[in-house]
Amino acid sequence: MAFLSRRLLSRGVVTAAAVCALGASGATLAHAEGQFTTRLENVAAGFESRTWKDANSDHWRTAVELSGCSANSRAAVPSLGLYRERTGPDTHYGTKGYGGCGSRKVRGDWGDVRSGKYHFTVKNMGADFYRISARRVQVYW
């Protein structure tokens, strides 16, 4: 009986941890200073999103998520670059891309970035003729 109780307790701890992790990931996006939702249709590497202003009043993360992603080739593996716009060359905050069109979701998360105007760029798809679409693009800052 004690073995069964430990096993149930262990499952409860694992379940509670999973619920907390899910809640924390949802809170990441729900507490964002700002957000917008759009879509992509047949874009190539080099595509730049619209610009948004992050005042960084909340010191929260900046993230971009493409869902319902499709491509004209299975070999197209997009990643996303985040740029802070400036006079002169824009500051590149790195290229991210968790997932891919094969998983139908691509996510980039850059953490807390300084205040400024930003845009993301679709990058590194592998060939000039590759194109991707995403039914939903969510940008949070």
Side-chain angles (χ1 to χ4, degrees):
M1 187 72 155
F3 174 74
L4 183 59
S5 295
R6 276 190 224 144
R7 197 167 171 184
L8 288 174
L9 179 61
S10 177
R11 278 190 186 164
V13 169
V14 169
T15 301
V19 168
C20 288
L22 182 61
S25 68
T28 297
L29 304 178
H31 289 93
E33 173 186 320
Q35 68 180 38
F36 68 88
T37 302
T38 188
R39 61 186 299 138
L40 297 179
E41 293 186 35
N42 203 32
V43 302
F47 169 84
E48 290 186 8
S49 73
R50 74 174 231 207
T51 299
W52 67 88
K53 182 166 177 36
D54 182 351
N56 201 22
S57 61
D58 58 356
H59 299 285
W60 212 248
R61 63 190 350 97
T62 296
V64 178
E65 185 173 274
L66 281 57
S67 55
C69 187
S70 61
N72 66 346
S73 171
R74 289 183 183 197
V77 180
S79 55
L80 306 170
L82 180 69
Y83 292 85
R84 185 168 61 90
E85 298 179 355
R86 311 172 19 158
T87 303
D90 291 345
T91 303
H92 184 218
Y93 277 78
T95 300
K96 311 280 184 172
Y98 311 109
C101 282
S103 68
R104 300 183 50 79
K105 189 175 278 195
V106 177
R107 180 172 171 78
D109 189 333
W110 290 269
D112 182 16
V113 297
R114 64 188 299 183
S115 63
K117 291 183 178 180
Y118 288 87
H119 69 270
F120 73 86
T121 302
V122 175
K123 302 175 71 84
N124 305 333
M125 288 204 292
D128 291 341
F129 61 87
Y130 290 161
R131 301 286 186 270
I132 64 161
S133 297
R135 285 192 308 254
R136 184 176 174 118
V137 177
Q138 295 175 280
V139 179
Y140 302 93
W141 64 90

